Amino acid sequence: MSGTTVVAPERPGQPPAPSAAQARFRPELQGVRALASLLVVVYHVWLDRISGGVDVFFLVSGFLITGQLYRALLRGKIELRPMWGRMIKRLFPAAMTVLLVVVVASALLLPQDRWFQTIHEVFASALFYENWQLAADSVDYFAQHNSASLVQHFWSLSIQGQFYLLWPLIFVALGFLARNRGWSLRRIVNTLLITLFVLSLAYSVYLTAVDQPLAYFHGLTRVWEFALGGLMAMFLDAFTLPRGLRIVLGWIGVAGLVLCGIVLRVDSVFPGWIALWPTLSAGLVLVAGQTGTVFGADRWLSSKPLGYLGNLSFSLYLWHWPVLVFYLVVRDRVAVGLLGGAVVVGASFVLSILTYHFIENPIRLSKIGTVKRWGAYRFGIIALAPVLIAAGLWGGYTTAQANYSIALDDADHPGAAAHAPGFVYRGSPSPSVVPPTLKLPEDWAGITDDKCTTSPRNEELKVCTENPAGPPKKRVVLVGDSHIQQYLAAFLPMVQTEGWAVTSMLKGACPFSTTADLMPGDQGCMDWNKAAADEIVSMHPDAVVTLASVNTKAGITETTPAGFVNQWAQMDNAGIPVIAVRDNPRFAFNMAACVAQRSPTDPACTLNRAAVQPAEAPYAAAPGVPGNVSFLDFTDYFCDKTTCPPVVGNVLVYMDDNHLTATYLTTLAPIADKQVKTALKW
């Protein structure tokens, strides 16, 4: 849970009040919401699983608001201003309270390398675009290394906010068409709901198959769930099933909700067609309705305890996730046990009760928005402002503190030069360790977008070039994944010192190969690599820099895949020299975090070199290596003869568990410069 940000928890939400025609379903709706909320908390805290509850709440929201809007049109008009005002009164008090507390608590308790991520996501959550923030991160390989965000569970609140904004506008348009075209309002509403259900579900199935992390947060993959709820609102009153059948269906629905998070790995297969499981389970509970018997699930769902839990569900959901993450941070854990989970759940309930009774409910029942025409909107601005101001001030401080770059002649921070033969340290007696922890998430080298073009061979292939002031003396291309991108920090200084033009072609988790070596079967990676190879051949640079090996990690055999050799052979056929760089060691824990929590000299932060990397590089015995390849191995600058320390020459070597800091690789630039020129006889 705490190691990735690819999947976030769901939220119960706070759907609009049911209309009179839906009132008979209110106990079941409250019970379903309470049950889903309780299951979400239990799965997250004790089972480290995702439950699928978000799909239930989207269905319930669609059910309630569709009926409300349809009946408003039957009465003649949808009042948008008061409707949105009520949404602000319901959503903002609890949500903004939690976000403000998260900002303050994060600044005090959260490790500094997680500040930037939290600041960005607080803004996204407060402005209801967190799902798109996470969608962007889900397709950004480097962002996937973020630790679990304290507010990533706001992604579903963002989708609901977007839905509450757009759905009424759509119904206003439907009402206009019905009046001016003489169409049946029921027919046009049902046609739209069915169309949205089919198209959105089909898109959800497609996108889940090709890019599940993106599909999970994408708003369009969830529209069908709202539409399904809307269809239930339009048709549920049209028929009544026998009581015995409704009793059975009700319990099947409850069982389906409980088992969803246990049976399914929601974080890897949702939202596609499998999301029909929780939505239809909730639908069965609604179809069952009030059976009027002690044997019905509705008797239990409409009980006072579940009714009260339903009232708390919004606040409970908002609180439980940051409480859980803070617990893990403070206790330095990756999971909670039974006792720790009880503490998290208990604290979440206490905060939820206080928020509901002293913030959420008093504001909801107040005269805000009823006395003054725009009162609810003014309240929304007043509630939002402290969150944005606090996050902005925190972000400004963080940016100022992270504004650091190393000079190549910094005597206090020689970095890689400290491992060069004959090195003598001439700096101050007690230098600091750089870069600052705050800078780590941003400590990547790169070429700015204004110097990039998109290749016509592949829309994902960005060709970025940093040119010297005059005509380039040499043209060098770095191609591959993040482990080649990091070497831009070592090669970009050569633009100024040597007059070289440095070009990058990068794709996360996709080394330069004829096969997908890190993610077998990834056709997108193979297509990208083919386009990159064709682009390089057409450019005919003076050298290509790429990886020579993968899997330099304890317990895994370092290899030079045959696909690497095949790409080198293609370059050989085109007369292009290749510099193949041995992959740096990877670790089972975050090296920079270990230093921040302990110290640079703590033995827990240092690993045995032999355990993470074999003495002989795998390419030494790789068959078919063409003669255009020169191999460089910088391991001696990351490790000493026996160990791989986290800090060398007073500079952090690693930014996480496997990527080198741009700061450290900048100190490697003179060494890399010399070795490249020697290898290529320049």
Side-chain angles (χ1 to χ4, degrees), residues 17-31:
S19 61
Q22 297 165 311
R24 70 185 181 90
F25 296 104
R26 187 161 192 169
E28 288 73 26
L29 288 169
Q30 190 79 328

Side-chain angles (χ1 to χ4, degrees), residues 158-353:
S158 296
I159 288 182
Q160 281 195 298
Q162 295 155 23
F163 171 75
Y164 290 152
L165 179 64
L166 295 176
W167 207 246
L169 295 176
I170 292 172
F171 270 75
V172 168
L174 294 181
F176 176 82
L177 289 174
R179 287 193 306 271
N180 288 274
R181 299 284 184 173
W183 295 344
S184 165
L185 180 61
R186 176 176 284 272
R187 181 174 299 173
I188 192 175
V189 168
N190 288 338
T191 299
L192 176 70
L193 291 173
I194 293 171
T195 302
L196 290 176
F197 174 81
V198 172
L199 293 179
S200 175
L201 180 58
Y203 182 64
S204 180
V205 171
Y206 160 76
L207 193 59
T208 301
V210 300
D211 194 339
Q212 187 272 333
L214 174 60
Y216 196 89
F217 301 115
H218 202 294
L220 296 181
T221 64
R222 304 287 183 168
V223 172
W224 68 268
E225 298 170 355
F226 294 102
L228 179 59
L231 286 169
M232 294 191 66
M234 298 298 293
F235 287 100
L236 207 56
D237 285 333
F239 61 90
T240 302
L241 299 176
R243 176 185 290 182
L245 178 58
R246 288 191 290 122
I247 292 173
V248 173
L249 293 178
W251 282 113
I252 290 176
V254 170
L257 290 174
V258 173
L259 293 174
C260 179
I262 298 175
V263 176
L264 302 177
R265 287 301 306 187
V266 179
D267 52 340
S268 59
V269 299
F270 268 52
W273 65 269
I274 202 68
L276 286 166
W277 180 325
T279 52
L280 292 181
S281 296
L284 290 178
V285 176
L286 296 183
V287 169
Q290 298 178 36
T291 63
T293 171
V294 296
F295 300 108
D298 58 296
R299 179 66 174 266
W300 174 60
L301 291 172
S302 60
S303 64
K304 288 185 178 180
L306 278 184
Y308 183 67
L309 179 59
N311 291 332
L312 296 179
S313 61
F314 185 41
S315 295
L316 177 62
Y317 177 78
L318 293 178
W319 279 117
H320 91 279
W321 183 256
V323 170
L324 172 60
V325 176
F326 275 129
Y327 176 88
L328 295 174
V329 169
V330 172
R331 299 282 293 170
D332 192 20
R333 305 278 182 85
V334 296
V336 297
L338 184 62
L339 180 59
V343 171
V344 170
V345 172
S348 301
F349 265 101
V350 170
L351 291 170
S352 303
I353 292 170

